[in-house]
Amino acid sequence: MYIKSVQWIGSSDKDMRAMPDDIRKTFGFALYLAQQGQKHDQAKAMKGFGSAAVLEVVEDDRNGTYRAVYTVRFRKAVYVLHCFQKKSTSGIATAQQDIDLIKRRLALAEQHAKENGYD
């Protein structure tokens, strides 16, 4: 079985490390499963990205809601695009600035994958 590498885009690694332990463990396990070609029970396709290749894991604790967004689009790597605490007051919708950041980081991931043979 081939295990994909994990690549962190932008501040996603630092942002995840700043999260509470239980949240990090859930997100870390989701990434571990993605490396093996599997999908965490809480992973859902993120709306607005055209396919199930961009996934989102949502986890709550007493301090709020946290999200990790990653892509499994590439053959040899899982790219973590964004990790953040949801601050939107618009229900469950992801804030437009977060969507825009994810889109920019997805483009960076595509470029990195192409340049490094991960595609």
Side-chain angles (χ1 to χ4, degrees):
M1 169 176 44
Y2 181 78
I3 302 291
K4 294 181 176 186
S5 69
V6 173
Q7 302 294 318
W8 303 86
I9 301 295
S11 63
S12 58
D13 184 31
K14 178 180 72 107
D15 296 339
M16 184 185 278
R17 290 177 190 275
M19 293 180 175
D21 286 345
D22 288 346
I23 302 295
R24 277 198 336 262
K25 287 176 186 173
T26 298
F27 292 166
F29 185 59
L31 293 173
Y32 172 72
L33 290 175
Q35 285 181 276
Q36 298 179 55
Q38 300 175 38
K39 187 174 148 193
H40 192 278
D41 291 342
Q42 290 172 241
K44 294 183 280 186
M46 189 156 193
K47 292 178 184 165
F49 288 88
S51 73
V54 176
L55 300 170
E56 172 181 49
V57 177
V58 179
E59 183 75 345
D60 295 312
D61 80 352
R62 60 182 162 69
N63 295 318
T65 300
Y66 299 84
R67 296 178 182 217
V69 179
Y70 58 94
T71 185
V72 293
R73 178 179 295 177
F74 306 103
R75 193 168 39 91
K76 293 184 179 180
V78 174
Y79 282 86
V80 184
L81 304 173
H82 193 25
C83 297
F84 61 105
Q85 183 174 7
K86 185 179 174 310
K87 294 184 167 71
S88 171
T89 57
S90 59
I92 62 170
T94 303
Q96 188 61 46
Q97 68 185 28
D98 289 311
I99 297 290
D100 293 343
L101 179 62
I102 292 164
K103 287 180 179 178
R104 286 193 306 272
R105 288 183 176 177
L106 181 58
L108 290 171
E110 289 170 349
Q111 179 182 350
H112 184 272
K114 200 173 286 186
E115 291 172 357
N116 293 281
Y118 291 137
D119 54 349

